[in-house]
Amino acid sequence: MHVLVLSGSLRAGSVNTRLGSLVTELVTRAGATAQAATLGDFPMPAYDGDAEADEGLPPGALALCERIGAAQALIIASPEYNASVPGVLKNAIDWVSRYRPQPFKDKQTLLVSASPSMVGGNRGLWALRVPLEHLGARVYPDMFSLAGAHQAFTDDGALGDPDLGERLTTTIGSFLDLVEADTRYLCLQRRWYEFLGDRTDAPVTSRAQD
């Protein structure tokens, strides 16, 4: 299995990029391959429908689409800005959603966050679930949020609190078990419906995720 670990921050020294690096290491220890990236690797302008119509998707958005499409799973380490999703991450999601086939559809996705605050960026993750699930991503029910992140890491990049380290390791292991099952066993493929009026035999609704 191949996993893309994406930091939703542009800032040098971001605690979410540090968390993403740790997650990448834990994914590798669990037996999968992992590639770490940040949104800074995929520069793109603010979404503009006119620009899309005239020029198509920018190179950064196309590169991110390719990375997501090549992975069996996606892990996003996202900051929390004003109790919600960082604008740069939402902008990237908006651009990527315009690509066909839409790469978030059916993508197994785990959300993690880190913040100096006492809630660890958790409110931002709840907001992030909304556009991802709307686009058909299979967002893992459990999430991991690291509070007091500015002083939570050891010099070698691990978590200083062994209980938190164990919880993160367990969460990633359980997520990867689900990804492997979803990849190997086609009977686990699920259908998704937004409206009660959808046909029950429809594989997916006719939405942006198609």
Side-chain angles (χ1 to χ4, degrees):
M1 295 183 298
H2 178 64
V3 181
L4 174 63
V5 181
L6 179 66
S7 169
S9 177
L10 297 175
R11 187 175 64 85
S14 162
V15 288
N16 281 279
T17 299
R18 294 186 70 182
L19 180 59
S21 296
L22 176 57
V23 167
T24 300
E25 180 180 342
L26 293 175
V27 169
T28 302
R29 286 186 199 170
T33 64
Q35 182 179 39
T38 74
L39 284 181
D41 299 328
F42 311 99
M44 60 191 85
Y47 178 76
D48 181 341
D50 291 338
E52 179 192 7
D54 292 341
E55 305 171 16
L57 271 65
L62 291 172
L64 181 54
C65 289
E66 182 179 355
R67 294 274 192 97
I68 295 173
Q72 279 73 52
L74 173 65
I75 300 177
I76 301 177
S78 175
E80 174 187 295
Y81 289 179
N82 297 313
S84 191
V85 185
V88 66
L89 178 55
K90 180 58 166 59
N91 183 61
I93 293 172
D94 291 341
W95 273 116
V96 169
S97 73
R98 304 299 296 169
Y99 188 79
R100 296 294 182 270
Q102 200 272 101
F104 288 118
K105 181 181 180 296
D106 295 333
K107 188 68 61 178
Q108 296 286 356
T109 304
L110 173 66
L111 303 182
V112 300
S113 63
S115 171
S117 75
M118 294 306 295
V119 294
N122 187 258
R123 295 167 299 187
L125 295 187
W126 283 108
L128 180 56
R129 295 185 73 98
V130 175
L132 292 175
E133 291 180 337
H134 170 77
L135 292 168
R138 298 178 179 179
V139 183
Y140 193 63
D142 196 11
M143 303 184 292
F144 179 86
S145 294
L146 180 64
H150 59 297
Q151 54 190 11
F153 294 94
T154 62
D155 292 340
D156 60 358
L159 295 182
D161 186 325
D163 292 335
L164 283 176
E166 181 179 357
R167 181 177 169 233
L168 179 59
T169 300
T170 300
T171 299
I172 291 173
S174 298
F175 172 67
L176 292 177
D177 286 344
L178 176 62
V179 174
E180 182 178 18
D182 186 61
T183 302
R184 291 179 179 270
Y185 306 112
L186 297 181
C187 62
L188 292 181
Q189 291 184 352
R190 292 167 291 179
R191 294 173 174 174
W192 189 95
Y193 304 100
E194 182 175 14
F195 307 108
L196 293 177
D198 286 341
R199 293 181 295 109
T200 56
D201 60 344
V204 292
T205 55
S206 180
R207 299 167 59 249
Q209 63 171 314
D210 292 337

